[in-house]
Structures are given as structure tokens and as C-alpha cells.
Amino acid sequence: MIKSRTEWIESLQEISLLADSPIKQKNGSWEISDRKEAWKAIGPRIFDEHLDRFHKVAVAVLRERDPRIELDENERLTADLRGKQLKHSPLLRKGLADTLALLGTAPKALKSCSHGKAAVVPVLAVREILNGADWVLWASLNSYLPTLAEAAPDEFLDAVERAIAQDPCPFVHVFAQEKAGIMGQNYMTGLLWGLETLAWSPDYLQRVTVILGELAALDPGGNWANRPANSLTEIFLPWYPQTCASISKRKAAIKALLKEQREVGWKLLFSFLPQVHSSSSGCHKPAWQKFIPEGWSDKVTNGDYWQQVINYSELLVEVAAADSHKLATLVEHLA
């Protein structure tokens, strides 16, 4: 028997009054208190046909283009009055993205599904969502890109690399949407946070580094602090690295960056020279993937710090040796 919405609400209200209720209501919206625990509990009740329906819905909803973005920047503030709204709510879009992340990180909870079915759904869904995405779709997905990155890291990185290789590159247009001021908007934040999240993994650090370098080369600059070059600096800071990759893998990643984007790599290395004052707000951390081991500490030993400084200084010297202008600049910071 199919329940009406009213009947569902009545049932939820009764459950919410129970001690240690798994659901709660806030500002008129219903939420599950602990999605990961709920996932384990209901996993055996989910079957292949449920995943197939979810797959179709997730792709259809998340591929929806935000009509406000296609308006002139001066008209976006009055988009609602013009009837320019998404068909589906941000809560629904977030919920679908979160569920893709659950599927991608805890597929074994769905014990009643065919072997491998739960693991492949987020991969296919993220591939379809980002397939052929133009700048409007990338901007429309801004808030959900970090979650999609965790749901299917390889598919996410593949899509970003394809977009960078396009001519014209959609990210050039996304950068162009950045506006300063109280009502300003930056549609690149989600992409950068997604890449920062994957950089915590030793398996993805090098790909992320090169991608951020490509984006930094495209970046026209602006007032927002969220910039590809800043993400790179935060990830590799010798005294506060935001990656779990080893020191040798960090060096290898920067060497790969120098090969693809020499100027970006040069500026990055230069920013690591010891300074009297330096600060960091840290990078975006994973919410679903276990890229950061339990017990991991962001404390850096004196030996590790100087090993990184030496590594980066050696790379600086290698680059400067082939460029007299860079060599002259480096000599000014000889100490």
C-alpha cells in the first residue's frame, strides 16, 4: 500500500518523538541523525531495482542547470521574481549527492544487491552527471562537487581533465563569473574543495597537483581567496602540509607540475622559502572517504620540515639554472 505524503509525515512525527530517534526535524525539513549508521541498518533492504531507480533520479536531478546562472549578473538577484528557479530543492540535490558518496564509500552495506552493483552505480552516475558538462552545469554543481569527488574520485578527475582540455575550456567562463562584494559569487569554490579533498590521498595527489596547476594557469585572478594557486600552496606547506602523501611523493608531484606548468610550479616553490610570518586556514577535508588515517597528526617534526625545504630549494635551483632571470631572482633570496 502506497502512503500519501500526509501519512508519511504523521509516521515521521511519531518516530521523531521516540528516545534516540534516528530522524529529526529542523526548519521544516526532515533529516536522519546519522546517515552512516542508518545506511548500515537499511542496507540489506535495498535491492538492484532500487539502485536503478535511484541512479536515474540522481543523474536527472543533478544534471539540472541552474537557470539563475544563465541570467545577466545584474539580474541574478531578482531571479526568483523572474521565475528562474531550480525545479528541485537544494536539500534534494544535496541528499542525492550524499547518497552517491555513501554508495561510493560503503557499498558493502547493500548486501542484497548483485555483486559489485552498489560500487558501480556512483561511478556511472558521476560519469553521466559530468559528461560533456559546459560552464553552466559546472557552476550549477558548485556546492556538490566536493561530494561527487568523494563518490567517484577517478571519474571526477577524468571529467575535470577533459574539461580543461576543451577549447574553449568551460572553467574560463566559470572564473569569469566571480564578483566581489557582499552579494558576490564564486562558482569555482566547489571544484577547488573537491580537488583539495582528493589531494589528501597519496593515490590522487599527483593528478590533483597537475590539474590545479592547469587551473592556476587559466585563473585571471580576483578578490576571492579560493584560487587554484592558493590551494596548491596550502596542500604542500612544509610546516603544515594538507596531504597524507609521503615527502617523496610530494616532491614527485611538484616535479610533475613543473613539467606541465613550469611558471606555476616556480611560483609555488618560491612561496615555500622560509618566511618570518606565515599562516594557513587548511584545506577541505574528506567527509566520506577515509583518506586521513585514524590517529593522523598535522604536527610536522623539525627534520621533516627541513627535508621539505631542502627538496623544494633543490627544485628551485634546478629551474633557475636554465633561466637567467629566475636565477637573478633566486640570488636575491640566497640566505
Side-chain angles (χ1 to χ4, degrees), residues 26-48:
K26 184 178 180 181
N27 298 326
S29 300
W30 291 94
E31 298 178 3
I32 295 177
S33 301
D34 189 330
R35 290 202 67 178
K36 292 181 181 180
E37 287 302 314
W39 187 249
K40 295 177 185 177
I42 67 173
R45 298 172 181 267
I46 299 175
F47 296 88
D48 285 2

Side-chain angles (χ1 to χ4, degrees), residues 282-302:
C283 285
H284 199 272
K285 289 184 170 64
W288 305 95
Q289 293 279 0
K290 296 181 179 178
F291 291 149
I292 303 177
E294 290 185 18
W296 178 84
S297 174
D298 58 10
K299 305 297 182 184
V300 176
T301 65
N302 196 50

Side-chain angles (χ1 to χ4, degrees), residues 27 46 51 109 124 128 134 172 225 256 263 308:
N27 298 326
I46 299 175
L51 288 182
L124 295 177
E128 292 175 43
D134 62 2
V172 171
E263 288 302 315
Q308 291 172 88

Side-chain angles (χ1 to χ4, degrees), residues 69-87:
I69 295 174
E70 296 181 277
L71 291 173
D72 182 88
E73 61 186 73
N74 297 319
E75 298 177 338
R76 290 175 186 170
L77 292 177
T78 58
D80 291 345
L81 298 176
R82 299 169 183 271
K84 298 293 185 178
Q85 297 175 314
L86 286 161
K87 295 178 182 178

